[in-house]
Amino acid sequence: MTLFTPQGREDPYPLYAQLRETAAVLKTPFGGWMVTRYEPVDRVLRSAAFRTPRGFREANDPAGPPRMDPNGMLTLHRRHWLLFQSGEAHTRLRKLIMKVFTPRAVRALAPRVEGLVTELLRPALERGSMEVISELAYPLPATVICELLGIPAEDRERNRAWAAVTAATVDLQTCSDAQLALAEVSMREWDAYIRELLATRRKQPAGALLDDMLAVEEEGLRLTEDEIAANATFLFLAGHETTTNLIGNGLYALLRHPAQLAALYATPSLVENAIEELLRFDSPVQFAPRVALEPLEIEGVQVEREIPIALMLASANRDPRRHDRPDELDVARVDPKPLSFGGGAHYCVGAALARLEAQHAFAALVASTRGIGLATERVAWRPSLGLRGLEALQVTLER
Ligand code: HEM
């Protein structure tokens, strides 16, 4: 069984367990490395001896010829995505983005998120059934990120289509040349759209994140238009599919563990802890990529510079060295402490927002039903390795 078969995608956890017990650091079929245990994954995430691999290469890159046109639109955007910055450049950009993405700004969204969940659940509750992904798990974060950025509601689906094509190329090791070519065309359209929106907003601000990014200033530093456009596409990408998968994977896990769902019905105040445990149990982001700046050792294994290293967050979350009964779902688990939002310098900017959305979604589902049932025998997982999520999840709702 490998991670790349449909069977492996359905349940990668037995394979992760095997790999974890074989070694903390293993060679991958792509010639890179994979780190499987909690402690070294956590340590590498926090270490300044590694950086995120940018995924684009200059024409004279020692690692080999570029897969993307170094002057293409995809390259331009990736060059400015926060995730792919390092050192000083990362600190500066992150500080400017965090300035407009404060915990207070996120907390202020709570009433809107709650209202949106109620709105989205209403027709499903009347019907007594729901396709969770398309009716709740996708539209909730997608609507919130559009509103937060200031992307008009009628443009949401266009942005979603551009994002889906781009997302397929985030992991350059597994995407095809055809996917890259398609993403280049799509990114040109997306970029033109965002810049047109920015031009409108310069004349007529709408009080959203895009406007704040245009206005933000810190110690004389501003964001350039290239940085704003690129991080608008990145925030849209990062801000919806991951949260969709937290809600989808999380509910599916609860439905397969009815005693845990019952515990949540009995004690709704467990919801915050339950979200942490659901993140741990089936992580929406399965791994974080890194490269070493210089040759070094991880757990006694010599790792070359610039060679891709996959930090297996999902495997680390199930490491018995860190958690008792790691393969059991326990919504009351003390200190689930998942690595699902990463750690260190690149710790997820949207963690508070994702938690807020998931907490409201699960709290409302439990508060407005007497029971939720799985209405399908088999579920299909999306083909991506890095972003783990369901194509669809059909359930019955009992009131
Ligand atoms: C359940 C939902 C989410 C999960 C599991 C998740 C996971 C992650 C992970 C693992 C990283 C670190 C990647 C690395 O170190 O290589 C990350 C970074 C990031 N995430 Fe999230 N994310 C989620 C939701 C969001 C949302 C809602 C937003 C924005 C609205 C967001 C924006 C970002 C950004 C901007 C970064 C880059 C931070 C940096 O490089 O400094 N994420 N996320």
Side-chain angles (χ1 to χ4, degrees), residues 91-105:
T91 311
R92 168 192 163 262
L93 190 61
R94 183 164 169 120
K95 204 165 157 192
L96 288 169
I97 290 180
M98 288 306 282
K99 212 175 156 193
V100 296
F101 220 88
T102 59
R104 211 178 82 206

Side-chain angles (χ1 to χ4, degrees), residues 56-59 66 68-77 79 184 188:
F56 59 82
R57 289 177 189 155
E58 310 301 339
M68 285 181 277
D69 175 2
N71 301 312
M73 196 53 82
L74 207 48
T75 299
L76 178 84
H77 276 242
R79 207 185 282 283
E184 177 61 24
R188 268 184 242 146

Side-chain angles (χ1 to χ4, degrees), residues 45 52 82-84 90 94 101 145 148 234-235 238-240 242-243 246 279 283-285 288-290 313 339-343 345-351 353-354 357:
L45 280 170
T52 50
L82 179 63
L83 183 62
F84 294 147
H90 176 256
R94 183 164 169 120
F101 220 88
I145 195 71
L148 202 66
F234 182 56
L235 283 168
H240 75 288
T242 45
T243 312
L246 168 57
L279 279 160
S283 184
V285 177
R290 290 293 182 276
L313 309 173
L339 292 179
S340 310
F341 289 120
H346 292 280
Y347 182 77
C348 179
V349 162
L353 177 60
E357 291 171 351

Side-chain angles (χ1 to χ4, degrees), residues 155-178:
D155 297 339
R156 196 180 78 187
E157 289 310 308
R158 278 208 284 167
N159 280 270
R160 184 196 192 184
W162 289 318
V165 176
T166 312
T169 64
V170 167
D171 182 4
L172 279 179
Q173 293 196 64
T174 53
C175 79
S176 67
D177 287 344

Side-chain angles (χ1 to χ4, degrees), residues 103-156:
R104 211 178 82 206
V106 172
R107 269 198 308 277
L109 290 170
R112 174 61 182 143
V113 170
E114 195 176 0
L116 206 51
V117 169
T118 309
E119 219 177 277
L120 291 167
L121 280 182
R122 193 174 298 125
L125 287 169
E126 276 165 18
R127 215 185 307 126
S129 68
M130 174 166 64
E131 197 291 277
V132 177
I133 306 300
S134 60
E135 293 187 63
L136 175 68
Y138 162 67
L140 174 63
T143 305
V144 171
I145 195 71
C146 276
E147 291 181 1
L148 202 66
L149 282 165
I151 291 174
E154 62 272 23
D155 297 339
R156 196 180 78 187

